[in-house]
Amino acid sequence: MTTDAGELSLTVDELAARAGVTVRTVRFYGSKGLLPPPVIGPRRVGRYGAKHLARLALIEELQRQGMTLAAIERYLGQLPSDLSAYDLAIHRAVVASWAPDSVESLSRAELDRRAGRELADEELERLTAAGVLIAGDADGADGTAQDGFRVDTGLLRLGLELLDVPLSQGAILAAREVLMEHSRAAARELARLFRGEVAERDTRDVRDLSAHMHPLVVQALLTTFQRSLREELSELLGGAGPSGG
């Protein structure tokens, strides 16, 4: 599923499984121009990469927000055609922030389907420790109760992607605590700042302003954090000394 250079290389079936959609859906998006064509490999088999997966995840997120196919086409048409998988993930994070918190009840089979593979018990433990899953009951396809999970759908894709990151569980949990602590502090300061601006306004005006500002603030936070993290990592890599190669 990866090339010799470590790049993601998926068949259409593998792409659909990883994205939690059907092959028919992938082909439909491709026919509409929402997904770029695959790279044709040996034996005329189409191969899809990280950009396809990230773009598909963005499309699915836009659909979850209730956007029509025409609206999704317009949204994607405004994006630069050469966006990286990382940039597409940033866009998806902003779009996901528009939605209220949502928790779904998923069976083990459905969770595996959305992950695109059978998750090991150790991986389920990591997702539970990260707050993505809570063990519980779920309804099976026949309507009967079966072992399952309560899933924070806003965190599920992120949690699944973190399973492939070569960091210890302790480091990931520590990073989560850092992000939670500082994001809460930023939210408090921004709320205090905006409170003075809306103190004299009608309740409906305040609600409309909040709905309008929410995605803008999230995008601003993501952008500034992205730049700050890039600078910190550049300093870290720059001071790492010679690699010996």
Side-chain angles (χ1 to χ4, degrees):
M1 295 173 67
T2 58
T3 66
D4 291 340
E7 298 175 351
L8 198 62
S9 179
L10 307 170
T11 65
V12 66
D13 296 280
E14 292 167 341
L15 175 68
R18 286 281 292 266
V21 300
T22 65
V23 170
R24 183 179 179 182
T25 296
V26 173
R27 297 196 189 282
F28 174 73
Y29 289 155
S31 70
K32 291 292 185 180
L34 301 180
L35 279 179
V39 175
I40 304 301
R43 286 177 283 196
R44 304 294 297 169
V45 176
R47 309 298 298 190
Y48 297 82
K51 287 185 181 180
H52 292 94
L53 185 61
R55 194 174 180 89
L56 189 54
L58 174 57
I59 294 170
E60 291 296 299
E61 190 62 56
L62 291 168
Q63 277 202 322
R64 278 192 287 271
Q65 301 302 321
M67 290 182 67
T68 64
L69 186 62
I72 293 174
E73 288 186 71
R74 289 194 297 271
Y75 181 94
L76 295 178
Q78 295 173 355
L79 300 180
S81 59
D82 59 348
L83 282 183
S84 67
Y86 176 81
D87 292 325
L88 288 167
I90 293 294
H91 277 275
R92 178 168 57 85
V94 172
V95 172
S97 75
W98 302 347
D101 294 337
S102 91
V103 176
E104 288 186 43
S105 179
L106 301 181
S107 67
R108 173 70 178 269
E110 174 61 17
L111 185 60
D112 286 342
R113 188 187 73 81
R114 295 199 186 187
R117 58 187 171 84
E118 185 176 348
L119 295 170
D121 290 341
E122 178 185 355
E123 292 176 314
L124 293 176
E125 291 174 3
R126 292 183 65 182
L127 291 172
T128 301
V132 178
L133 307 179
I134 300 176
D137 293 328
D139 293 332
D142 58 358
T144 59
Q146 56 182 259
D147 291 339
F149 302 90
R150 300 284 289 168
V151 181
D152 186 329
T153 53
L155 291 177
L156 180 57
R157 180 55 55 187
L158 173 62
L160 291 172
E161 291 173 358
L162 281 174
L163 292 176
D164 297 325
V165 175
L167 289 175
S168 68
Q169 178 72 356
I172 291 176
L173 292 179
R176 178 176 181 268
E177 289 301 314
V178 170
L179 290 172
M180 291 292 291
E181 176 185 353
H182 290 283
S183 62
R184 286 195 185 107
R188 282 194 297 268
E189 289 301 310
L190 288 170
R192 182 183 62 79
L193 178 65
F194 292 143
R195 191 175 296 120
E197 294 292 321
V198 302
E200 304 300 326
R201 299 196 184 190
D202 180 80
T203 302
R204 181 178 297 178
D205 291 338
V206 173
R207 189 177 295 112
D208 290 343
L209 178 63
S210 175
H212 182 70
M213 289 296 296
H214 187 180
L216 297 178
V217 169
V218 170
Q219 187 166 10
L221 286 171
L222 284 169
T223 301
T224 54
F225 177 75
Q226 178 185 7
R227 290 174 180 170
S228 298
L229 184 59
R230 185 185 297 120
E231 291 172 0
E232 291 294 328
L233 291 178
S234 294
E235 291 182 9
L236 175 64
L237 295 175
S243 61

